[in-house]
Amino acid sequence: MKTWKPNLEETKKRYINWWNQKGIVLNMWEHFQEGVKPHASVAAPQPPIDLNQKWFDPQWRADYLDWYIAHSCLKADMLPVANTQLGPGSLAAILGGVFEGGEDTIWIHPNPNFTDEITFNPEHPNWILHKELLKACKAKANGHYYVGMPDLMEGLDVLAALKGTDSVLLDTVMQPEVLEQQMQQINNIYFKVFDELYDIIKENDEMAFCYFSAWAPGKMTKLQSDISTMISEDDFRRFVQPFIREQCQKIDYTLYHLDGVGAMHHLPALLEIKELNAIQWTPGVGEPQGGSPKWYDLYKKILAAGKSVMACWVTLDELRPLLDNIGGDGVHLEMDFHNESEVEQAMRIIEEYTSKNDQQETADGDLANESKLETEAIKIETCHKEESEELAPLYDAIVAGKMEDAIAVTKKAIQEGVAPQEIINNYMIKAMGEVGQRFQDGKAFVPQLLMAGRAMKGALELLKPMLQGSASTTIGKVVIGTVKGDLHDIGKNLVASMLEGCGFEVINIGIDVPADKFVEAVKEHQADILCMSALLTTTMTYMKEVIDALEASGLRHQVKIMVGGAPVNKNFAMQIGADGYSDNANSAVAVAKELLGKTK
Ligand code: B1M
C-alpha cells in the first residue's frame, strides 16, 4: 500500500496492541481539513446535482472521498479511510428496505412488502449499489487509503428497520421462535454479504471499518443492538447474545457499540461473550460525552473483563484525568479535534502515558461482585385487585398482556351487565397504571407495554358501542389527536369515544400529529374544539407549538382548545394558553360541553 499516511505502520502496531488490551490509540472519527497540507493534488468534484447523486452515485462519491482524504489530517492514529456508509444498517436496504438520501445522512425505511420472509436477492439494486460503490472507491484509492466497510449492522436492528420496531418488540412475546429463526437468517446473510464486501475492500488481509473508524489486521466489524434498550435481559440473552456471539466467533476482531444508559443493563451479557474484543461507549442525549468522570467505572469494568474500550468525543481537558483513572492499556480515544495543534497537544499527553504504561496498574474490578450495572432479570407477575372477584382476571390479563383473556372477561362482564365505566376505570386504567409503574421500576420493558396496550385496546373495542350512547343531534365538532413525537393513543381514543357517545362529532386524526396537520384539520372540518393528548413529558410541550401555529393561521379565535394526558395538568394548560383541561375521559366530556356553552 503506498499510503498517504506517513506513520501508518506505527498506527497499525498501536491498533494490534489495542485489540489485545494494550496501549492507547488516538483517533478521530470525522477528519478535519483546516490548516492541513494536502497529501496529493486532487481536484474537488463538482457539487452534487442532488441528494441522489451525493449518496447513490458511486463515481461521484469515489471522486469526492478521494479529494476529502487528500485534504484531511492523518496525524496520530487518524486512519486514511473512505467513508462508504450507505446509512446505518444498510443490510436492511439490501434485504428490501427503501433508501432515502437526506442532507446529512441516508434513511432506510421499512420494506413495504415485508412478509416475514427474509431472503437475499443477489440482483437487488441496493446490493449491487453496495458493491459498485466499494469497487469505484477501491479503484480511486489506488492504495493511498483504505475503503471502509459500510455499517451493515445485523440482528434485531436490521429486522426493526425492515418491519418496524413495534413489530419486532411484539415478536419477542408473540412469535419468539420465528424471531429466533429470523435472527439466524439475518446472521447467515450478514456473513455472506460481509465476506463478499471484504473481498472488495481488503488490503492484503487488513481492513478498516467506517463507523467509529477502526482498523484491524484481519476481518473486523462493529456490532450493535440499539433496539435492545427496550427489552429485558432475558430477551437480550435469547434474541441478541447468541447471534452476536456467532459474529464474534466468525469475525476476527469485534467492537460492540453500546448506545446509551438504557443499554447498560445488557453489559453483563456482553461481557459474557468471550470472543468479543472491545466495547465502544456512546453516552446518549442529555449525558456528558465519553471523557466524563461519570463513565470511569464503566470503562474500568469493561477493561477488567478483558475487553478493550473505545471512549468517544473526549476533549483535551478530559484526557489526562481519564487516563489517570482508567489507565493507558486497551484504550481507544476518539477525540473531537479542530486543528493540528490540538492533535499535537493530545499526542504529547498520550506519550507520557505510553512511557508510564509499564509501571501503571490497570484498573481492577471484580466482575462478579460489582452489581451497580447489573440488574436482575425480573419476570412479570400477575397481580390481583380486590374490587371484584369476577373482574380481577381482566386486570391480570391486561397486566400480563393477554388480549384474548382480556376480551373474554370483558365479554362476560358486559353480559352480566357491568357498567362500561366501571370496567374501564376500575380495571383497565388501573392495570395500565400498574404496567407503567413496572416499566418505571425496570421490571417491565417496551414489549410488555405494547402487549398491555394491545390487550386493553382489544377489550375496549367491545365497550365502544356502549359508550356511543343514543344522542341524535350533534353538540359540536371535535378534532382530536396525539401530538407529534407521541405514539400513545389509548387514552386519546377513550376520550374520543366518550365525546362521541355524548353527542359530539369527532374527527380523530391519530398519533404523532404535527402542528400543520392539526391546523389543517381544524380548518377543513370547521371544528369547535381541538383536543390534544400527550403522554410524555417530552411531547407535552409541543401542544404550545400547535397553539402558536393556530394563532399564526388566524384560526385560534374560532376554536376552543382542550388538552389532557397523564403528564398534563391545569397549570400547564393555562400556561400554554389552552381553554380547557381534563384529567380523564369522563370529565373531558363535561369540560367540552362547558367550553361550547361559553361559545354558543
Ligand atoms: Co409508554 N410511557 N412509552 N408506551 N406507556 C408511559 C406514558 C410512561 C408514563 C411509563 C412509565 O415510565 N411509567 C412513560 C412516560 C414517562 C414520561 O414521559 N414522564 C412512557 C415511556 C417512557 C414510553 C417510551 C419512551 C418507552 C421507550 O420506548 N423507551 C415510548 C415512547 C413512544 C412514543 O410515544 N414516542 C413508549 C411507548 C409505549 C407503547 C407504544 C409501548 C405503549 C402505547 C401503546 C398505545 O398507546 N397504542 C405504551 C404504554 C401502553 C404506556 C403506559 C403503560 C400506558 C398508557 C395508557 O394507555 N394508559 C404508560 C404508563 C401509564 O400511563 N401508567 C406509559 C391508559 C390510558 C387510558 O390512560 O393515556 O393516561 P391515559 O389517558 C387518560 C388520561 O390521561 C386522560 O384520559 C384518559 C382516560 O382516562 N387523557 C385525556 C388522555 N388524553 C387526554 C386528552 C384530553 C383529556 C383527557 O383532552 C384533550
Side-chain angles (χ1 to χ4, degrees):
M1 224 185 148
K2 35 188 187 319
T3 173
W4 285 338
K5 181 175 169 66
N7 64 341
L8 182 62
E9 289 310 312
E10 289 162 36
T11 286
K12 284 190 197 173
K13 276 188 203 139
R14 279 194 280 273
Y15 262 101
I16 291 169
N17 280 337
W18 175 69
W19 286 116
N20 291 295
Q21 291 82 53
K22 294 261 166 285
I24 301 169
V25 167
L26 178 63
N27 193 356
M28 179 179 187
W29 183 3
E30 306 285 348
H31 295 83
F32 66 83
Q33 275 91 24
E34 197 191 302
V36 174
K37 190 166 162 281
H39 313 292
S41 162
V42 177
Q46 291 294 317
I49 44 176
D50 54 18
L51 290 172
N52 225 23
Q53 179 166 50
K54 174 174 171 166
W55 298 113
F56 307 124
D57 176 344
Q59 200 50 56
W60 187 89
R61 271 189 84 173
D63 291 346
Y64 170 80
L65 288 166
D66 195 50
W67 167 83
Y68 182 83
I69 299 162
H71 291 79
S72 290
C73 178
L74 298 175
K75 280 179 177 267
D77 299 319
M78 289 180 210
L79 292 169
V81 188
N83 186 344
T84 55
Q85 284 283 66
L86 277 164
S90 55
L91 183 61
I94 293 171
L95 293 174
V98 181
F99 273 140
E100 184 201 335
E103 284 298 333
D104 303 317
T105 188
I106 295 172
W107 304 103
I108 298 167
H109 301 293
N111 176 355
N113 306 315
F114 188 76
T115 55
D116 262 343
E117 273 305 299
I118 296 178
T119 44
F120 172 69
N121 168 10
E123 303 304 324
H124 196 286
N126 292 345
W127 170 231
I128 292 169
L129 173 65
H130 274 74
K131 290 191 290 183
E132 283 181 355
L133 175 63
L134 298 195
K135 281 180 190 161
C137 289
K138 188 71 191 290
K140 195 82 196 176
N142 196 21
H144 298 133
Y145 47 87
Y146 296 91
V147 175
M149 176 67 86
D151 189 18
L152 295 169
M153 277 192 214
E154 59 286 320
L156 287 186
D157 283 2
V158 160
L159 194 60
L162 277 174
K163 63 184 284 196
T165 303
D166 284 5
S167 307
V168 172
L169 293 173
L170 280 175
D171 284 353
T172 63
V173 183
M174 305 201 40
Q175 44 171 10
E177 288 81 18
V178 173
L179 189 56
E180 281 174 315
Q181 226 174 17
Q182 290 178 333
M183 288 301 96
Q184 191 57 60
Q185 284 165 339
I186 288 178
N187 251 17
N188 297 346
I189 297 171
Y190 175 85
F191 294 125
K192 183 180 161 38
V193 164
F194 184 97
D195 283 352
E196 213 170 309
L197 296 183
Y198 174 75
D199 285 341
I200 300 174
I201 64 171
K202 69 180 178 188
E203 293 287 344
N204 298 317
D205 282 332
E206 305 159 17
M207 69 166 275
F209 202 91
C210 289
Y211 215 71
F212 298 117
S213 177
W215 173 92
K219 288 183 186 171
M220 89 142 276
T221 193
K222 180 233 35 158
L223 305 167
Q224 74 173 62
S225 181
D226 283 359
I227 189 180
S228 60
T229 54
M230 292 183 252
I231 62 175
S232 69
E233 287 154 74
D234 280 352
D235 282 348
F236 188 87
R237 283 197 166 78
R238 178 166 183 189
F239 302 110
V240 182
Q241 194 197 44
F243 307 99
I244 288 189
R245 178 173 283 123
E246 191 188 16
Q247 288 175 314
C248 294
Q249 284 163 349
K250 292 196 171 154
I251 295 178
D252 310 319
Y253 298 89
T254 47
L255 168 75
Y256 186 88
H257 159 57
L258 186 66
D259 194 340
V261 207
M264 274 187 178
H265 62 296
H266 298 311
L267 185 64
L270 287 167
L271 297 181
E272 284 163 17
I273 304 173
K274 165 166 119 294
E275 298 85 354
L276 174 66
N277 301 101
I279 295 186
Q280 180 276 340
W281 170 237
T282 294
V285 185
E287 294 291 345
Q289 291 293 12
S292 162
K294 188 167 181 185
W295 315 121
Y296 293 168
D297 281 349
L298 170 69
Y299 296 144
K300 286 186 202 171
K301 192 178 174 85
I302 296 170
L303 290 165
K307 317 272 181 225
S308 302
V309 152
M310 185 186 273
C312 290
W313 309 288
V314 177
T315 65
L316 266 179
D317 293 345
E318 291 167 334
L319 191 50
R320 225 183 266 280
L322 173 68
L323 294 171
D324 281 343
N325 276 279
I326 69 168
D329 266 324
V331 181
H332 187 305
L333 299 155
E334 288 278 348
M335 296 195 58
D336 199 7
F337 297 121
H338 303 91
N339 53 53
E340 294 195 339
S341 147
E342 287 180 0
V343 184
E344 279 148 19
Q345 287 177 59
M347 283 164 74
R348 280 197 292 275
I349 296 173
I350 301 292
E351 196 90 328
E352 288 169 33
Y353 286 86
T354 316
S355 46
K356 255 194 233 169
N357 260 359
D358 292 340
Q359 303 127 41
Q360 192 173 348
E361 281 178 9
T362 48
D364 202 28
D366 180 349
L367 194 63
N369 294 336
E370 260 189 64
S371 58
K372 206 165 155 208
L373 292 163
E374 288 173 28
T375 48
E376 240 178 72
I378 303 162
K379 297 253 185 304
I380 295 223
E381 287 154 19
T382 54
C383 157
H384 288 269
K385 295 292 302 169
E386 271 138 35
E387 269 142 2
S388 143
E389 284 273 309
E390 293 83 62
L391 281 178
L394 174 59
Y395 177 94
D396 292 348
I398 292 179
V399 172
K402 295 183 174 162
M403 184 172 71
E404 287 75 17
D405 292 359
I407 290 174
V409 186
T410 306
K411 264 189 193 152
K412 195 159 168 259
I414 294 170
Q415 278 159 11
E416 285 166 11
V418 184
Q421 296 305 342
E422 195 195 333
I423 302 176
I424 294 170
N425 294 331
N426 290 348
Y427 299 92
M428 292 180 164
I429 291 181
K430 284 183 179 166
M432 295 306 270
E434 169 66 16
V435 176
Q437 189 57 47
R438 290 178 184 201
F439 178 76
Q440 205 165 315
D441 297 343
K443 295 177 187 168
F445 296 86
V446 178
Q448 285 76 38
L449 292 192
L450 276 170
M451 295 297 288
R454 197 174 146 269
M456 167 143 181
K457 274 178 150 180
L460 203 56
E461 278 302 306
L462 299 176
L463 298 175
K464 243 179 158 180
M466 301 170 72
L467 298 174
Q468 266 157 26
S470 55
S472 52
T473 52
T474 301
I475 307 178
K477 264 192 192 174
V478 174
V479 162
I480 188 167
T482 305
V483 296
K484 187 173 155 191
D486 203 318
L487 309 177
H488 296 86
D489 68 352
I490 298 170
K492 181 252 313 165
N493 289 346
L494 200 52
V495 172
S497 297
M498 295 292 286
L499 287 169
E500 240 168 13
C502 294
F504 286 88
E505 183 183 342
V506 178
I507 299 107
N508 189 338
I509 57 174
I511 53 174
D512 192 19
V513 180
D516 57 345
K517 203 171 155 200
F518 274 118
V519 174
E520 242 172 63
V522 167
K523 196 170 170 188
E524 184 191 336
H525 301 285
Q526 290 296 302
D528 300 300
I529 306 179
L530 171 63
C531 284
M532 285 186 275
S533 179
L535 264 272
L536 300 171
T537 41
T538 47
T539 55
M540 61 192 260
T541 48
Y542 191 76
M543 292 172 163
K544 171 85 171 77
E545 288 186 39
V546 178
I547 296 179
D548 289 347
L550 273 171
E551 293 274 6
S553 68
L555 294 172
R556 176 66 184 96
H557 68 282
Q558 67 183 56
V559 64
K560 295 288 175 189
I561 295 176
M562 175 158 72
V563 294
V568 177
N569 60 34
K570 203 168 189 172
N571 265 347
F572 174 80
M574 274 166 58
Q575 270 169 25
I576 62 169
D579 304 303
Y581 154 78
S582 147
D583 66 355
N584 66 66
N586 296 335
S587 66
V589 175
V591 174
K593 281 184 176 166
E594 205 182 304
L595 287 176
L596 292 194
K598 281 183 196 160
T599 54
K600 282 190 178 175

